[in-house]
Amino acid sequence: MEAFGSMLAALGLAFVFDRLGLPGGAVLGAMVGVAASKIIGVQVFEAPGIVRFLAFATVGWLLGQSFGAETVATLRKAAGPVLLVVLTLGAVTAVLAITMVVLFRLDALTGLLAASPGGLVHIGSITADSGARVDIVILVHLARLAAVVITLPIVARFL
């Protein structure tokens, strides 16, 4: 029964973070709730395989809803700049991943996923399914997200 304490912490903080208007508040709150539970020694409920599958399928479904004919038309018009951005991000990701592998002695997959651009939910889902170190990857992405949330308003004022 103690394992359900982590579920309550996840749901409670997901609700609070979402109501506070934090970017990805529900996801961040749930992660913080479960992480805090583990840190203080509460037994964490392990989701069965079917629950994980349904959660990941739901994330894919929600992401798929954002695409449409307009997205494809926009991509066609901006194919050159999009390709340039993708290649540049690929090169920067490779350099960052190699740096993390060498400096922090991470395995290559963890380094690559930690350095990869992408949303916290998306990268977290891929990481959880890949066997890489979820804690490291999420920590790096949380730091990136925090840096953006903190610096973006300051940069926006100057622009």
Side-chain angles (χ1 to χ4, degrees):
M1 199 63 177
E2 184 179 329
F4 289 104
S6 65
M7 278 179 77
L8 291 174
L11 291 172
L13 283 180
F15 180 79
V16 169
F17 280 33
D18 186 61
R19 293 295 171 249
L20 289 173
L22 296 173
V27 173
L28 290 174
M31 284 192 311
V32 169
V34 173
S37 295
K38 284 185 77 167
I39 289 168
I40 64 171
V42 174
Q43 183 181 358
V44 174
F45 174 75
E46 289 289 328
I50 187 66
V51 173
R52 288 172 50 104
F53 171 80
L54 291 172
F56 291 150
T58 302
V59 168
W61 172 39
L62 294 171
L63 293 173
Q65 290 179 353
S66 65
F67 288 90
E70 184 180 312
T71 306
V72 175
T74 302
L75 182 58
R76 278 194 196 122
K77 291 177 188 172
V82 167
L83 183 60
L84 179 62
V85 167
V86 168
L87 292 174
T88 302
L89 281 173
V92 170
T93 298
V95 169
L96 289 173
I98 291 167
T99 303
M100 282 194 270
V101 167
V102 171
L103 287 180
F104 303 114
R105 303 193 190 281
L106 298 175
D107 63 278
L109 183 57
T110 299
L112 180 62
L113 288 167
S116 294
L120 189 61
V121 173
H122 319 113
I123 294 295
S125 298
I126 293 167
T127 303
D129 230 20
S130 71
R133 295 262 326 257
V134 176
D135 56 339
I136 299 294
V137 173
I138 294 301
L139 184 64
V140 170
H141 282 273
L142 281 173
R144 178 184 54 83
L145 181 62
V148 169
V149 169
I150 291 167
T151 60
L152 193 61
I154 296 166
V155 172
R157 279 190 211 149
F158 289 110
L159 297 177

